[in-house]
Amino acid sequence: MQKTTRNTTSLAVLVLMLAPALSHAVDTVSTNVAPLAPTAKPAPAPLQPSSAAKADEYREADVWGRIRTGYAIPDIDNELVAKHVKWYSTRPDYIARTSARASRYLFHVVQELEKRNMPTELALLPIIESAFNPQAYSKANAAGMWQFVPGTGKDFNLKQDMFKDERRGVLASTDAALSYLQRLYGMFGDWPLALAAYNWGEGNVQRAIKKNQALGKPTDYESLYEHMPAETREYVPKLQAVKNIIANPAQYHVSLPVIDNSPYFTAVDKTSDIDLTIAAQLAELSVEEFKALNPQFNRPVITGGEQTKILLPQQNAEKFHLNLAQWGRSLSTWTTHKITGAKDSIASLASRFGTTPEVIRQANNIPASTRLKAGSTILVPKISTSVQTDIAEHVVDNAVMAFEAERAGRRGGRAEKQTNAERIKGKVAALKTRVAARNAKSASNESSRYKRRGG
């Protein structure tokens, strides 16, 4: 019996001694990525989600290390790469700000890339697109950290309405971006060309390839430079530059802040309309931090039922549920109103719903010096906060707003856009004018009397 126990103990010790090596072997197998097909070969079918999860996705101390282990896009090395390495490496403030924003989202992005067996350096793409700012908006109307234009966003089912723009949503936009990149890789069989198409459009890349094929020239990314706009020509070199810096920050004298290799946020079900400020209060978060995780919501109220999720830091999700259970008041102070005609001026609506024109303009993003056209749907405060009715789904889906310039002289026109300070200033100016006119009249009368007296 003792001999058996000693043998069992020895075997257990041996297993424990070998465990790190066995674990390392499993990790090594799980992180190996098959070589990508060269451009000359036919384009492969789109990548499919992995059927097996990582053996240990938390083995790295931080997300940067996890990204490095999954690099799989062939490197390029040219003057443009050197140019952008210098640009990024000499701007520590920029890297610090971008990393601070990225710290909320990187774990999720890397996790989603690994699920799809995609190169993990693609997690760095939002650095190029938006500096990881989900509120970024370009002159081309591209929005969010992945910078979707409206049309492409609709192609990938990113909802865009008065209340929500999922091009800015963390979960929805990341899923759409990775699906789009997978599709492009399936078309071109080459990651640099897929990235060029993400930036420039697949049609433009296809036409550039055909031009080079007709001339008997190569069709790789760098060989297509002459056909590309400057932004696309520098797009992959920018990503390569960031990739180089992340791979070896010390070489470029860059200090990367640690980003924990663990989930930053969790998704919480929302069962009824809730004011954005109330949601932040229940989660014990600042409104700024709440918006950073939920940037897709366009209005001060979050509409929708259980299908609508809000993201909260792990430690705040429990606080949210506990505080929600004890709230005992209305979660939303907003409802909607449809403009029927010119009588529905912003000033009259403010008076009717017990608020100010400025509050209505701010809640609905109504530009200054404009008025609402008939048919527009806007948010207005609930007259009674005891009303629990949510905004109907068909209202949310079909709500639109249209503006026209205010015209002077019309009731509800010039006067309603004035602030209190402007009203007071106007009254003072009018009073001064009347006093001046009275004084002038008095002076004129005195002058007439002086002349009549023969002065």
Side-chain angles (χ1 to χ4, degrees), residues 61-95:
D62 70 359
V63 172
W64 301 121
R66 189 171 171 187
I67 291 172
R68 293 181 198 111
T69 63
Y71 280 2
I73 299 176
D75 291 332
I76 61 172
D77 185 12
N78 58 32
E79 292 180 358
L80 290 176
V81 174
K83 167 188 166 183
H84 292 297
V85 164
K86 182 178 180 181
W87 192 94
Y88 286 111
S89 63
T90 56
R91 286 166 173 78
D93 291 347
Y94 176 87
I95 289 179

Side-chain angles (χ1 to χ4, degrees), residues 266-272 305-310 320-321 324:
T266 186
V268 173
D269 292 334
K270 183 194 71 62
T271 56
S272 63
E306 293 181 359
Q307 75 280 9
T308 302
K309 309 288 185 183
I310 59 176
F320 177 86
H321 289 300
L324 178 62

Side-chain angles (χ1 to χ4, degrees), residues 98-177:
T98 302
S99 298
R101 284 192 290 263
S103 65
R104 300 182 180 98
Y105 320 116
L106 262 181
F107 178 89
H108 173 73
V109 176
V110 175
Q111 190 174 47
E112 293 304 302
L113 285 167
E114 290 179 345
K115 285 179 183 178
R116 299 171 184 238
N117 284 333
M118 296 173 73
T120 51
E121 61 260 57
L122 293 174
L124 306 174
L125 200 58
I127 296 177
I128 313 304
E129 288 287 350
S130 63
F132 266 104
N133 180 4
Q135 298 286 6
Y137 200 83
S138 77
K139 292 179 181 178
N141 295 327
M145 66 183 184
W146 294 98
Q147 289 290 280
F148 275 96
V149 294
T152 308
K154 289 177 182 177
D155 289 344
F156 286 89
N157 301 314
L158 294 177
K159 194 169 185 179
Q160 301 162 61
D161 58 35
M162 195 177 88
F163 291 87
K164 182 191 296 185
D165 187 347
E166 287 185 335
R167 295 179 299 159
R168 297 198 300 262
V170 177
L171 301 184
S173 71
T174 298
D175 181 68

Side-chain angles (χ1 to χ4, degrees), residues 231-444:
E231 181 182 315
T232 307
R233 192 181 307 128
E234 301 199 9
Y235 194 68
V236 173
K238 281 185 180 180
L239 181 61
Q240 182 69 57
V242 174
K243 177 179 171 180
N244 291 351
I245 292 170
I246 300 303
N248 194 349
Q251 179 182 341
Y252 302 101
H253 309 290
V254 170
S255 177
L256 292 177
V258 173
I259 299 178
D260 289 340
N261 186 27
S262 59
Y264 183 87
F265 59 76
T266 186
V268 173
D269 292 334
K270 183 194 71 62
T271 56
S272 63
D273 289 357
I274 183 170
D275 288 2
L276 189 146
T277 53
I278 291 176
Q281 181 181 345
L282 293 175
E284 300 182 20
L285 286 173
S286 68
V287 172
E288 181 183 8
E289 175 66 12
F290 184 87
K291 286 183 176 180
L293 288 174
N294 302 278
Q296 69 270 34
F297 301 119
N298 293 330
R299 294 293 182 264
V301 59
I302 303 171
T303 61
E306 293 181 359
Q307 75 280 9
T308 302
K309 309 288 185 183
I310 59 176
L311 302 185
L312 298 173
Q314 295 276 351
Q315 65 272 24
N316 295 87
E318 186 176 350
K319 294 177 182 178
F320 177 86
H321 289 300
L322 289 173
N323 291 330
L324 178 62
Q326 300 172 22
W327 184 248
R329 286 172 275 167
S330 175
L331 291 171
S332 172
T333 61
W334 297 94
T335 187
T336 56
H337 174 80
K338 194 163 187 176
I339 304 299
T340 57
K343 290 183 179 180
D344 271 349
S345 68
I346 294 177
S348 66
L349 288 169
S351 177
R352 176 177 170 183
F353 290 98
T355 186
T356 66
E358 291 73 28
V359 168
I360 290 181
R361 285 191 181 275
Q362 184 177 7
N364 294 281
N365 296 334
I366 302 172
S369 304
T370 59
R371 60 192 302 276
L372 292 159
K373 289 185 177 181
S376 296
T377 297
I378 64 167
L379 279 180
V380 292
K382 288 180 179 178
I383 295 176
S384 172
T385 55
S386 63
V387 176
Q388 298 292 332
T389 307
D390 287 347
I391 299 170
E393 187 176 350
H394 71 88
V395 173
V396 173
D397 291 340
N398 298 295
V400 295
M401 279 200 300
F403 313 111
E404 62 183 0
E406 287 180 336
R407 284 170 281 180
R410 290 191 59 171
R411 186 177 180 181
R414 284 300 215 194
E416 76 178 44
K417 72 172 184 175
Q418 291 179 326
T419 63
N420 289 333
E422 289 173 332
R423 292 190 187 96
I424 293 170
K425 186 177 180 181
K427 289 179 180 179
V428 171
L431 180 61
K432 286 182 178 179
T433 300
R434 288 197 296 271
V435 170
R438 191 180 300 116
N439 290 341
K441 183 176 181 180
S442 176
S444 176

